[in-house]
Every structure is written in C-alpha cells, then in structure tokens.
C-alpha cells in the first residue's frame, strides 16, 4: 500500500474520507468550466451525490489495491479542497502505472499540479514498483502538457480518439517517464 498522507513544500496529499464530500463538491463546482473541457466525469450538473459516489469508489479501490486517489490540501488551509491526484496500475506485466490530476481553477498557475504530481511519481516508482508512468493528455490541453513537460515526461505519440468528451472523440498525447529517468 502506498503512503496515505504525503507532505510537499506547500501541500498535504491524503486519502479521501466520507467527510470530504462537501469540500470536493464545492471545488468541482467552482472549477466546472475548466474541468468539463477535458474530464468527462465533470458534467455541468455535478452535485454532492456525484462526489459521494466518487469517494465511496475511491475508498473501495484503495482497499482493493486497484487505484489510489489523494485529496490535495494546502498546509495552511486544510479544509479547502485544492484538487485530486490519482495513480493506478495499467499493466502488472510491464509494471506500467498512470497518473491523473486536476487543480481547482482559482489555484492554477502556481505550480501546484507539478508539485503534487512529483510526489505521486515518487510513490509510483518507489512504493508501487512502477517501471514506467504514463499521462494521457488531450490534444489541445496546453496547461496539462506543460505540467508533463516541466516534470520531464517524454512524448511518445498520439493515441487516436482515446476519450469521448462532450460528444466528440478526442485524440490524446501519450507522455511517459521511466524509473531510471526519475530524478528525486
Ligand atoms: C492542467 C492543470 C492540472 C494545471 O494545474 P496548475 O497547478 O496550474 O499547473 P502548474 O502551475 O504546475 O503548471 C505547470 C506549467 O504549465 C503552465 N501552465 C499552466 N496553465 C497553463 C495554460 N492554461 N496554458 C499554458 N501553460 C499553462 C504553467 O505556466 C507552468 O509552467 P511554468 O512554471 O514554466 O510557468 C489545471 O489547469 C487543471 O486542473 N485543468 C483542468 C483539468 C485538467 O486538464 N486535468 C488534466 C487532465 S490530463
């Protein structure tokens, strides 16, 4: 099992609990235009019930070792939800894992996605034994591509029509990092 609570310079990443439903709902609702552009689950009618289902599934997935989600909070303001970081195994045979993330809109542009993702890369390579970590980023999502590039991920190529977003199949860039490339 990976670390349930991780501290970075400015952030605390920790497992979700049922007490997070309201804070998660508020953060998603406050960021809907940006999230809805790239993440199919962030639909315009997102409400508490959606957050409750997400947290229930997240707790179960963690227990079963299928996927690990962390709630991102600022050290000085632990009640306000800043975003999510997740990792999960894609293939046991090749020891490949994937990372996904989002940051609430009024907190973007401060390097928080990069800071939180770096912490979870460490978990992936050092605790979960991944040989390779991938990011799938929609073509056109420049902000997320910049996060990947700044962390040193290499672009492998384009995955054609990888995800249905608001009724359109969207190509995604595949970015990856190998364990020997990770600089802690
Ligand atoms: C993508 C996202 C996570 C970036 O979060 P963030 O905390 O602002 O990212 P960072 O501050 O760590 O940014 C890393 C780099 O990307 C750049 N960047 C951030 N937003 C950008 C934008 N809209 N356009 C171009 N570059 C951008 C930053 O300037 C930074 O580079 P710099 O330090 O050289 O200036 C956030 O915008 C988000 O949640 N978007 C909606 C959901 C989403 O797209 N999730 C990812 C799906 S793959």
């Amino acid at each position: 099992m990976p670390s349930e609570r991780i501290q970075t310079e400015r952030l605390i990443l920790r497992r979700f609990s049922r007490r997070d439903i309201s804070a998660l709902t508020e953060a998603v609702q406050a960021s809907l235009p940006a999230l809805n552009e790239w993440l199919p689950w962030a639909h315009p009618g997102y409400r508490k019930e959606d957050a409750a289902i997400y947290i229930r599934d997240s707790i179960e997935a963690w227990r079963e070792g299928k996927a690990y989600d962390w709630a991102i909070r600022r050290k000085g303001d632990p009640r306000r939800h800043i975003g999510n970081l997740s990792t999960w195994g894609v293939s046991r045979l090749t020891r490949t894992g994937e990372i996904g993330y989002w940051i609430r809109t009024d907190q973007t542009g401060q390097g928080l996605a990069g800071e939180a993702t770096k912490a979870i890369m460490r978990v992936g390579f050092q605790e979960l034994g991944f040989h390779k970590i991938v990011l799938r980023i929609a073509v056109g999502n420049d902000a997320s591509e910049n996060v990947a590039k700044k962390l040193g991920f290499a672009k492998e190529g384009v995955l054609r029509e990888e995800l249905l977003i608001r009724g359109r199949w969207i190509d995604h860039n595949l970015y990856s990092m190998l364990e020997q490339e990770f600089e802690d």
Side-chain angles (χ1 to χ4, degrees), residues 6-12 73-78 115:
I6 300 158
Q7 294 209 34
T8 66
E9 193 190 332
R10 293 172 288 176
L11 304 170
I12 292 167
R73 301 292 168 90
R74 273 197 184 264
K75 278 183 180 166
D77 187 8
E115 186 173 323

Side-chain angles (χ1 to χ4, degrees), residues 5-77:
R5 189 183 172 85
I6 300 158
Q7 294 209 34
T8 66
E9 193 190 332
R10 293 172 288 176
L11 304 170
I12 292 167
L13 280 68
R14 58 154 183 77
R15 266 179 84 158
F16 278 93
S17 84
R18 291 192 197 288
R19 288 188 299 277
D20 297 320
I21 293 173
S22 297
L24 174 61
T25 308
E26 185 276 328
V28 172
Q29 288 177 346
S31 311
L32 265 178
L35 299 182
N36 178 249
E37 203 171 346
W38 307 114
L39 303 170
W41 57 262
H43 57 88
Y46 191 95
R47 55 205 172 105
K48 258 190 168 178
E49 286 73 8
D50 296 295
I53 291 168
Y54 173 83
I55 290 174
R56 185 198 65 199
D57 291 349
S58 173
I59 291 168
E60 195 176 316
W62 191 296
R63 200 183 303 124
E64 293 175 354
K66 287 187 177 155
Y68 307 100
D69 305 308
W70 288 266
I72 308 172
R73 301 292 168 90
R74 273 197 184 264
K75 278 183 180 166
D77 187 8

Side-chain angles (χ1 to χ4, degrees), residues 38 101-103 108-114 141 143-144 146-147 150:
W38 307 114
Y101 45 73
W102 62 268
I103 295 291
T108 55
Q110 303 173 49
L112 298 182
N141 190 348
S144 188
N146 279 334
V147 173
K150 223 180 152 202

